[in-house]
Amino acid sequence: MNTTNSLGEFTLTPHRVSDSSHMRMTYSHTAQELMARPSASLIAHRPYLRSMLWRPALILALSMSWLIIGFAFDSPVYAETGSAVPANHPTLNQAKRLIDADQAEEALTILRRFLATPPKPDLLDDTYLLLGAALHRAKQDAEALKYLRQLQTEFPDSEVSDRGKLMQARVHAAMGNLDLAMPILTGLRNLSKDDRTKREALKLSGEFYAQKKDAARAIQAWLDEVALGTDDQAEDVRARIRELAGSTSDKKALEQIRDTFPRSFPGDVASLRLIDLYITRGEEHQAIRQIQQFLVNFPIHPQAEKVSELLVTLQAKLKSNQFFIAAVLPLSGKLATFANEVLSGIQLAVEANRDKAGNASVGLIVKDLESDPASFVDDFSELLNTDRPLAVIGPLLSKNLPVMAELAERAHIPLITPTATLPNVRRLGNYMFSTALTFQLQAKRIAAYAIKDQGFRRFCILHPDTAYGRELARLFAQEVRQHEGEVIAIESYKEGETDMSAQLKRMKAEDLKKYGLSIPIDQTKLPGKLTKLDKKVLYTPGFDAIFIPGRAADAGIITSQLNFHDMKVPFLGANGWNSPDFARTADSSIDGAVFVDGFFVDSQTPTVHDFVERYKKRFQTSPTLFAMQGYDAAKLVIDTVHKGASSGEAVQEQLMAQPDLSSLAGPAAFGPDGTLNRPLFLIQIKHGRFLQVN
């Protein structure tokens, strides 16, 4: 099958004709992706008996029949130099026409009846192929595979074997099994002797790689396809490549394409897309560098003039800023989603400052921590020493802090991590700060609420056996004991575990040793017929509350089981509970439970409400905790500029000294450990909704 344009039209050339017979026709129906032969060429392994005298009449008849069922000739050219024309079978031709007309069920009826006759062996390969096509059209892909595999098993050397393999790949893809489709296409690309088949295998490979979000390999497959086609077909492939490269946001793939084709297509398309991405993300420094390289590599490109104008605009914009904040985040890779949330918060803070007349202009430099890990240390050093930002916001993970903190310390530029939960970041240097919601902050706030506000003294803890759960359990127990409270029992569970009865029995046993009460029930006085579930003992917990620092999905299961075991005490949680689905659960066992988090999107606190509304308007989505922590980091730096800071040293001094920094949630201050001590949100689950307690 030969692709002639990007709209799904295919050029068909009969596979089974004599060397002297060639016919080309195009049509737009997608069924032709399955068979690259007109109906007259379906049948194999039969002698050609018709003479040259029949040929003009046969061609005319075929032309009329294709037009009647919706096909259109595209300037057909007939090179008639031989005398033989393939025979055909009326039943198979009829089935083919029905498939082409999108009448798959009718085609299946005819083909199954034909298969039951049974047909001659030399017609079976075509029959299997048509059955696979019809079943695929009817969305009966599992059965389609059966016939397509049968074609390969019984007729491995058939002239339609490669067509069957192509269809197998399509069927696997339709069933969501791209990893099964790709080896088939690889085999066709390497082993098929027919250029049309190779070209279609390359086209499908590109499509499937694109579905797998592997833009670089998709484009390489399509570039290989160009070499096998005509000039018109090559232009269609290039249009396909331009569309993919122009729409992808995979920076690594684009950089790979750019570097592979630095001065030719599609390197230019990848470069232009990178420029667009850099500007969208606020990475104006990167955009300028990319533009300058583009103009060197493509000085006479059709877009060169517009790109030059953009360069002038960006350079003027950067020169207009008095100061800069740098955001160094993993904007590509596995953490890209979270990094871009942080970046959005930073951008909102910078834009809010820019919109206020009279404020010192503060620009934003953005660097992707993942774009080139091998050269990151050198690039970060250059950023610190050449661009001299007032502060750097990043990274996300604790493991990246030591190297960046050391370089920031040498440059006397504050480094503010918005998400890393490493305790006591100040041990990495005096220029190290954190606006992250740490485990320590959560444990302190929920323990203070329970002990000081609610008067609870005795607690049990049931936590997931994860780093998150273990650390929160340890810190909560530590806080309770520091406030002269008591932890009766601590139990753990595996995330996803549905039966907590063993843990709850052990917890109950520990409680009964100290404060719990167990009173036997006289079952003879109970009304009605007794069942196995009727309780023989009435248990009253001796503890005041239970802390469950886990995921919302697990907490709902746990609280219902606690109620079943008569542990009907207040439930306390951490920010893992902050899921709307958890609040809306039909189980009333969680009603009244309270958890802590660093951000509450429905808060009516004026500063938070204003932030949420501005964020929604700017980014068309609701902000997250990460966005809020990025916003706080940038805003605190900008606030120091308003108070006279004009260097990294001055920003560091103000951040360390001021006891009333203005965070979104309220007055805050950086503690000796470098963590921003700010108000946290206490959220209660009430009648299927989250309500702010404080």
Side-chain angles (χ1 to χ4, degrees):
M1 173 175 60
N2 298 341
T3 304
T4 60
N5 59 48
S6 60
L7 299 177
E9 293 189 9
F10 302 90
T11 299
L12 306 187
T13 304
H15 282 226
R16 302 181 186 182
V17 296
S18 66
D19 291 341
S20 60
S21 176
H22 301 278
M23 179 169 58
R24 297 171 63 82
M25 36 181 70
T26 63
Y27 60 97
S28 58
H29 204 288
T30 56
Q32 303 315 309
E33 299 174 17
L34 309 174
M35 301 277 294
R37 302 176 297 162
S39 59
S41 63
L42 286 172
I43 316 305
H45 320 306
R46 50 187 71 75
Y48 298 149
L49 301 177
R50 294 169 175 79
S51 69
M52 284 286 291
L53 296 175
W54 286 92
R55 183 162 306 177
L58 179 60
I59 291 174
L60 178 60
L62 283 171
S63 302
M64 295 302 295
S65 66
W66 288 112
L67 286 169
I68 289 171
I69 61 174
F71 296 94
F73 286 97
D74 184 12
S75 302
V77 176
Y78 305 105
E80 303 295 346
T81 58
S83 61
V85 178
N88 63 76
H89 193 285
T91 299
L92 297 183
N93 291 342
Q94 183 184 7
K96 178 72 162 56
R97 287 193 296 270
L98 288 169
I99 295 170
D100 294 337
D102 210 13
Q103 300 178 39
E105 295 295 343
E106 292 84 345
L108 284 173
T109 300
I110 293 173
L111 289 168
R112 283 169 172 156
R113 187 183 300 131
F114 181 70
L115 192 62
T117 52
K120 294 179 181 180
D122 62 355
L123 301 179
L124 276 175
D125 54 349
D126 292 289
T127 306
Y128 291 155
L129 182 58
L130 284 170
L131 276 166
L135 288 162
H136 177 51
R137 269 300 184 84
K139 302 189 185 304
Q140 300 178 41
D141 289 321
E143 191 175 357
L145 281 178
K146 182 183 76 172
Y147 285 106
L148 295 172
R149 287 169 177 155
Q150 204 164 343
L151 168 61
Q152 302 304 324
T153 301
E154 296 183 21
F155 303 98
D157 299 323
S158 166
E159 293 178 25
V160 299
S161 175
D162 284 355
R163 308 308 304 172
K165 290 177 182 177
L166 282 171
M167 195 188 306
Q168 264 188 283
R170 287 190 175 279
V171 172
H172 279 308
M175 298 173 72
N177 299 322
L178 291 177
D179 290 336
L180 295 178
M182 295 307 298
I184 297 173
L185 296 176
T186 301
L188 289 171
R189 290 159 58 179
N190 295 331
L191 302 176
S192 178
K193 297 178 181 179
D194 180 67
D195 282 350
R196 289 184 303 276
T197 300
K198 286 184 177 181
R199 195 160 60 247
E200 185 174 345
L202 287 164
K203 177 179 182 293
L204 288 177
S205 296
E207 291 176 359
F208 296 164
Y209 281 132
Q211 289 183 42
K212 292 165 70 72
K213 308 299 184 185
D214 192 343
R217 296 181 74 177
I219 288 172
Q220 186 58 61
W222 289 338
L223 287 171
D224 292 342
E225 181 189 349
V226 169
L228 298 175
T230 65
D231 289 342
D232 288 342
Q233 290 167 338
E235 182 52 39
D236 293 334
V237 177
R238 283 192 285 270
R240 201 187 308 146
I241 291 172
R242 279 193 290 269
E243 182 178 357
L244 177 62
S247 61
T248 184
S249 296
D250 187 341
K251 288 179 64 178
K252 283 189 175 180
L254 291 169
E255 288 166 353
Q256 182 179 342
I257 297 164
R258 176 199 63 192
D259 296 341
T260 305
F261 307 95
R263 297 177 183 271
S264 62
F265 176 84
D268 58 336
V269 180
S271 295
L272 291 170
R273 177 58 178 158
L274 281 168
I275 292 168
D276 181 54
L277 286 177
Y278 289 140
I279 293 173
T280 301
R281 295 179 176 180
E283 301 179 63
E284 291 162 350
H285 273 65
Q286 294 280 20
I288 288 173
R289 292 170 188 168
Q290 182 62 44
I291 290 172
Q292 291 169 335
Q293 189 61 51
F294 176 85
L295 293 173
V296 170
N297 292 340
F298 301 96
I300 59 173
H301 194 277
Q303 297 293 322
E305 184 176 350
K306 289 185 178 180
V307 172
S308 296
E309 293 173 357
L310 178 61
L311 176 62
V312 173
T313 300
L314 291 177
Q315 288 175 330
K317 182 179 177 181
L318 288 181
K319 289 178 181 178
S320 68
N321 292 310
Q322 295 174 255
F323 308 105
F324 289 97
I325 294 173
V328 181
L329 303 163
L331 296 167
S332 57
K334 295 180 180 179
L335 298 175
T337 299
F338 308 109
N340 279 285
E341 290 172 359
V342 171
L343 179 59
S344 295
I346 296 170
Q347 289 173 327
L348 196 67
V350 172
E351 290 166 7
N353 175 70
R354 187 183 303 146
D355 292 341
K356 292 181 180 179
N359 284 348
S361 59
V362 179
L364 179 62
I365 301 172
V366 182
K367 178 167 180 56
D368 184 0
L369 190 149
E370 292 292 321
S371 62
D372 191 357
S375 64
F376 173 74
V377 172
D378 291 337
D379 291 345
F380 186 56
S381 295
E382 181 183 357
L383 170 72
L384 294 172
N385 297 309
T386 302
D387 296 311
R388 299 301 299 174
L390 293 176
V392 174
I393 301 174
L396 296 191
L397 300 181
S398 299
K399 69 178 184 179
N400 300 124
L401 288 175
V403 170
M404 292 179 66
E406 181 179 350
L407 294 174
E409 185 82 12
R410 291 179 189 173
H412 291 185
I413 293 174
L415 178 66
I416 308 173
T417 174
T419 61
T421 56
L422 181 73
N424 192 15
V425 295
R426 189 57 54 72
R427 69 174 183 261
L428 298 176
N430 289 326
Y431 282 80
M432 188 73 237
F433 299 87
S434 170
T435 58
L437 174 66
T438 65
F439 299 145
Q440 184 73 51
L441 288 173
Q442 290 193 68
K444 279 182 173 292
R445 186 65 187 97
I446 195 68
Y449 164 78
I451 296 171
K452 295 181 179 179
D453 298 347
Q454 300 299 308
F456 300 153
R457 308 301 301 170
R458 301 168 185 163
F459 300 88
C460 283
I461 301 174
L462 182 57
H463 67 87
D465 191 15
T466 61
Y468 173 89
R470 289 190 297 270
E471 186 65 4
L472 273 170
R474 182 187 72 81
L475 291 169
F476 179 81
Q478 177 179 294
E479 289 295 319
V480 167
R481 292 169 183 137
Q482 286 180 354
H483 288 84
E484 298 182 353
E486 185 176 358
V487 177
I488 306 298
I490 300 178
E491 291 288 339
S492 67
Y493 61 88
K494 299 293 183 182
E495 285 189 338
E497 188 176 346
T498 57
D499 184 5
M500 309 287 173
S501 57
Q503 293 95 318
L504 299 186
K505 286 177 182 178
R506 290 194 296 269
M507 192 180 294
K508 183 183 291 186
E510 287 299 313
D511 182 39
L512 288 171
K513 292 177 184 177
K514 296 183 177 180
Y515 307 106
L517 297 176
S518 179
I519 303 173
I521 297 175
D522 186 351
Q523 293 189 321
T524 61
K525 295 183 179 181
L526 294 177
K529 186 177 180 180
L530 299 178
T531 69
K532 292 182 179 180
L533 295 177
D534 283 316
K535 297 173 181 176
K536 299 179 182 179
V537 175
L538 179 63
Y539 165 67
T540 302
F543 53 93
D544 300 312
I546 182 167
F547 181 50
I548 311 170
R551 304 180 306 178
D554 296 324
I557 296 171
I558 294 170
T559 54
S560 62
Q561 292 187 37
L562 284 165
N563 282 334
F564 177 79
H565 285 271
D566 291 329
M567 297 181 178
K568 298 179 181 180
V569 296
F571 304 132
L572 306 172
N575 72 324
W577 284 22
N578 200 346
S579 166
D581 291 337
F582 184 37
R584 290 192 293 265
T585 182
D587 192 341
S588 61
S589 62
I590 65 168
D591 211 49
V594 174
F595 65 94
V596 64
D597 203 348
F599 179 64
F600 181 40
V601 73
D602 294 321
S603 173
Q604 294 306 305
T605 303
T607 52
V608 176
H609 180 73
D610 176 66
F611 165 73
V612 171
E613 292 303 309
R614 286 190 291 116
Y615 192 97
K616 286 180 177 179
K617 183 177 180 180
R618 171 67 170 82
F619 300 106
Q620 306 303 307
T621 188
S622 294
T624 62
L625 173 65
F626 282 2
M628 175 259 197
Q629 291 172 164
Y631 180 92
D632 264 352
K635 184 178 182 300
L636 294 179
V637 174
I638 292 171
D639 286 348
T640 66
V641 175
H642 295 165
K643 295 179 180 179
S646 59
S647 65
E649 293 94 334
V651 171
Q652 184 253 13
E653 289 174 4
Q654 286 201 37
L655 292 180
M656 290 186 71
Q658 291 186 15
D660 57 348
L661 298 172
S662 180
S663 77
L664 271 178
F670 284 102
D673 63 352
T675 300
L676 182 66
N677 294 316
R678 54 190 169 88
L680 300 186
F681 295 89
L682 293 170
I683 304 166
Q684 186 174 52
I685 302 169
K686 202 71 173 176
H687 305 308
R689 296 179 58 202
F690 285 152
L691 300 176
Q692 186 173 332
V693 175
N694 55 327

